[in-house]
Amino acid sequence: MEQQLNTNQALDLFILGGGINGAGVARDASGRGASVMLCEKDDLAEGTSSRTTKFIHGGLRYLEQFEFSLVRKSLIEREVILNIAPHVSFPLRLIFINNNKIRNPLLIRTGLFVYDHLGGRRSMPSTDRVNLASSPEGLEVKERYSSGYGYWDVWTDDARMVVLNAKDARRNGAVIRTRTEFIGAEPHEDHWVVSIRDRTTGTLERIRARILFDATGPWLKSNSGKFTGLDRPGDLKLVQGSHIILRKWWRGSHAYVLQHADRRIVFVVPYLDDLAVVGTTERHLEGPIEEASILPSEQDYLLDILNSHFKRQFGPADVVSSYSGVRPLFGRDDRKGLSRVTRDYHLDMTMVNGKLPIVSAYGGKLTTYRVLAEDVLDLLGPHLPNAGTPWTAGKPLPGGDVPQGDFNGWYGEFARNYGFLDEPLLRHLGTTYGTEALDVLDGVRDKSDLGRCFGGHFHEREAYWLAEHEMAKFADDFLFRRTKHGLFLSSEERDDFEIWLNSNSL
Ligand SMILES: Cc1cc2nc3c(=O)[nH]c(=O)nc-3n(C[C@H](O)[C@H](O)[C@H](O)COP(=O)(O)OP(=O)(O)OC[C@H]3O[C@@H](n4cnc5c(N)ncnc54)[C@H](O)[C@@H]3O)c2cc1C
């Protein structure tokens, strides 16, 4: 499946980083006919892009900072993502719990009114008032919280969004190299010479490319010195945010929004049927980005806010798992505090030696990756004269091409056709691969055709397919980024899978 490079010609575009922004630009640019290569030092989405709250959202709280244009752009994206990725995204109802001591509910109501009307909402209902004392949504909430608002945003599988973008880019002819580190770029007459190193074999390679796009997110600063001739402007703050995963304890598919005494808000979100994700925290990163992990004080912060809102009380033993991501925030104003630095992205284009472009993306959100990609290609327009026009808003990501955009209708038929398989397994396949689940199950006539089960719903058939079609190489690629099977396998089962993987050299 690996694409071949035409080594006689310089590539149009070389992309550093396989998070959502790198993968999104690779998809867009390759679909416009540009020759593209992307290198990722680890696995696709191994950085920030698999460690988010998993919302495609306008960001209600950004209204407090008067970021109307960011909120509008993001709200519009909710509808776009629901259309192009109906298998890995869905509308989610959130219950915002009122607390007069922290925010005036009237202010919240006004904010939600603006939120409802700012961004072309079509697929989601409008905000409603919720009486927590009498509605099912209030059953688990402490009595002192008697009212709230129900509003809607979109949930998505962040890591799969990255993989699907990279996969589509590949189908458009882009070369995607994982476990391949960018180690330097030198300007030559009319092209860059980019040095990369395959981290599994140690092989060094030099690639010629006319344009560079740096999508290394939090690593932007640490990679800066690797470009000869580049003097980078801008200021990047690195902020760690952590989430905890617990067993879900309330009935219903809605999420909760809790207000902390420090005015931050914390989301409590249903996750994979019977789990819940709670987050996020916010603190200046100390130490290497790769080693970011939850601190006891962050876990306490999240457990405390749960305990002050819910009747059920939680302790460290309830935490099933946790993850931490590093947010690269763009901005200089230290007086604002971390929560108040803009979440919008900033694109910087520098012409090295007056003619070799390098574009760097600072900050941003998962939600706006597609618009960011369009903006990057807009900026590069004069340097890519033959590139086509924007196209990604109307074309489904792999597996998202369900008839009439009706995912539930498609899923019903899929589940009927494979009635001999367990429903949870079918749901996993349908909501992970969409229409490509048919390819995963090609030729399966009986459960035994799925091969060995590694635990949960994870079978050999799926592992082979992921290795062949989704660039999965190491155990965690399969267990935690292409899927979330890892959360449902015991540590022995995960070890057994790794042994199987190594012995099969997929
Ligand atoms: C806690 C938290 C929660 C969030 N929640 C949300 C949310 O709910 N909704 C939302 O819209 N946004 C959210 N965000 C923001 C969102 O996660 C980021 O905007 C987005 O993931 C940034 O993607 P990226 O591609 O720029 O960076 P990354 O995903 O970090 O990708 C950069 C990649 O570059 C690679 N790299 C670095 N150096 C090199 C090198 N030398 N060679 C090759 N590769 C290299 C890294 O390995 C990495 O994979 C959240 C962020 C955090 C931290």
Side-chain angles (χ1 to χ4, degrees):
M1 285 289 283
E2 189 58 78
Q3 305 285 323
Q4 292 304 309
L5 283 177
N6 175 355
T7 43
N8 296 326
Q9 276 180 345
L11 287 167
D12 290 322
L13 179 62
F14 186 92
I15 300 172
L16 291 67
I20 192 65
N21 288 330
V25 170
R27 177 184 192 230
D28 195 339
S30 56
R32 296 188 198 207
S35 54
V36 176
M37 180 169 178
L38 177 152
C39 80
E40 162 55 54
K41 70 180 170 60
D42 298 310
D43 182 26
L44 294 170
E46 196 164 336
T48 321
S49 297
S50 60
R51 299 154 191 271
T52 78
T53 314
K54 309 184 197 303
F55 285 155
I56 299 294
H57 63 157
L60 183 59
R61 65 184 188 279
Y62 311 142
L63 286 177
E64 279 186 329
Q65 291 145 242
F66 306 109
E67 296 225 40
F68 292 104
S69 98
L70 169 64
V71 175
R72 183 174 152 70
K73 174 162 69 179
S74 307
L75 287 171
I76 293 170
E77 276 311 285
R78 297 188 311 188
E79 296 286 342
V80 175
I81 301 293
L82 281 174
N83 277 329
I84 65 172
H87 49 327
V88 293
S89 62
F90 56 81
L92 174 75
R93 177 167 158 82
L94 294 102
I95 308 297
F96 193 108
I97 299 183
N98 283 334
N99 184 337
N100 297 350
K101 289 189 192 137
I102 299 175
R103 281 180 188 85
N104 182 341
L106 197 64
L107 194 74
I108 312 274
R109 183 69 195 97
T110 312
L112 284 166
F113 179 83
V114 175
Y115 204 69
D116 275 351
H117 292 92
L118 200 59
R121 177 177 51 87
R122 286 194 309 275
S123 316
M124 284 159 274
S126 56
T127 298
D128 60 323
R129 223 185 116 75
V130 178
N131 181 342
L132 292 171
S134 60
S135 71
E137 285 116 334
L139 273 179
E140 300 290 337
V141 177
K142 283 192 169 165
E143 278 89 8
R144 66 168 171 269
Y145 300 103
S146 57
S147 72
Y149 295 105
Y151 74 100
W152 292 77
D153 260 321
V154 168
W155 185 93
T156 194
D157 183 328
D158 48 12
R160 285 215 59 78
M161 284 298 287
V162 178
V163 172
L164 297 181
N165 273 280
K167 193 169 164 175
D168 213 29
R170 242 180 153 201
R171 286 181 183 164
N172 297 334
V175 176
I176 308 287
R177 296 264 178 90
T178 58
R179 265 92 196 186
T180 303
E181 186 173 9
F182 163 79
I183 50 176
E186 282 172 32
H188 283 236
E189 186 54 25
D190 59 354
H191 61 268
W192 290 93
V193 172
V194 181
S195 301
I196 54 177
R197 185 171 61 93
D198 183 323
R199 294 180 71 194
T200 47
T201 61
T203 315
L204 288 172
E205 219 178 319
R206 283 152 78 84
I207 308 287
R208 294 186 303 142
R210 294 194 300 109
I211 303 167
L212 304 184
F213 174 52
D214 188 344
T216 56
W219 285 267
L220 212 88
K221 260 187 191 170
S222 49
N223 284 323
S224 272
K226 298 177 183 168
F227 302 87
T228 308
L230 177 68
D231 182 17
R232 215 167 219 165
D235 180 17
L236 205 62
K237 291 178 196 306
L238 296 184
V239 180
Q240 167 167 324
S242 299
H243 292 82
I244 50 176
I245 301 179
L246 306 138
R247 297 261 161 239
K248 182 168 174 273
W249 63 95
W250 70 97
R251 277 171 176 255
S253 53
H254 57 278
Y256 291 96
V257 185
L258 316 180
Q259 304 183 63
H260 195 279
D262 63 8
R263 285 188 66 78
R264 293 192 60 258
I265 58 178
V266 169
F267 296 99
V268 181
V269 189
Y271 188 45
L272 303 169
D273 298 338
D274 63 343
L275 298 175
V277 168
V278 181
T280 170
T281 57
E282 216 162 42
R283 59 185 299 279
H284 276 293
L285 177 76
E286 285 155 24
I289 301 169
E290 284 84 353
E291 288 170 23
S293 63
I294 192 164
L295 295 175
S297 57
E298 291 179 281
Q299 179 166 295
D300 290 347
Y301 176 93
L302 295 173
L303 292 173
D304 283 352
I305 191 166
L306 284 184
N307 290 336
S308 64
H309 283 78
F310 290 96
K311 290 177 188 161
R312 210 184 128 181
Q313 297 296 286
F314 301 88
D318 295 306
V319 177
V320 175
S321 182
S322 66
Y323 59 89
S324 302
V326 179
R327 216 186 266 277
L329 294 182
F330 181 71
R332 290 182 180 283
D333 192 350
D334 283 323
R335 289 163 306 169
K336 283 182 173 176
L338 296 179
S339 295
R340 299 179 64 84
V341 180
T342 183
R343 258 48 170 178
D344 210 350
Y345 54 80
H346 168 80
L347 297 177
D348 172 70
M349 182 152 105
T350 304
M351 299 297 288
V352 173
N353 292 353
K355 57 186 167 187
L356 292 177
I358 164 165
V359 177
S360 312
Y362 293 76
K365 295 167 64 185
L366 176 71
T367 305
T368 46
Y369 85 90
R370 204 195 55 78
V371 196
L372 178 148
E374 287 185 349
D375 286 350
V376 168
L377 285 153
D378 238 28
L379 262 181
L380 291 175
H383 306 280
L384 289 170
N386 299 322
T389 48
W391 62 280
T392 54
K395 177 114 193 302
L397 284 160
D401 54 339
V402 293
Q404 285 87 46
D406 174 13
F407 178 75
N408 291 335
W410 171 83
Y411 178 75
E413 195 183 336
F414 165 71
R416 273 192 298 282
N417 291 342
Y418 287 92
F420 55 89
L421 296 175
D422 300 339
E423 207 280 327
L425 167 65
L426 290 172
R427 195 146 22 96
H428 155 69
L429 293 172
T431 56
T432 306
Y433 306 110
T435 57
E436 295 203 321
L438 299 172
D439 194 33
V440 179
L441 293 178
D442 186 32
V444 170
R445 303 273 173 268
D446 182 88
K447 199 169 173 187
S448 61
D449 292 332
L450 296 174
R452 173 177 165 188
C453 179
F454 300 110
H457 308 300
F458 190 27
H459 295 83
E460 270 179 349
R461 160 68 64 134
E462 189 180 357
Y464 281 120
W465 193 86
L466 285 171
E468 187 179 343
H469 297 277
E470 295 202 346
M471 298 162 268
K473 292 178 183 160
F474 291 84
D476 282 1
D477 307 357
F478 294 79
L479 296 175
F480 291 104
R481 285 179 290 276
R482 303 305 178 282
T483 76
K484 294 289 178 281
H485 287 311
L487 289 171
F488 302 96
L489 266 62
S490 66
S491 63
E492 290 77 27
E493 287 171 330
R494 292 197 296 266
D495 290 348
D496 284 351
F497 171 67
E498 194 161 359
I499 293 168
W500 176 88
L501 190 62
N502 293 337
S503 61
N504 277 275
S505 50
L506 296 190

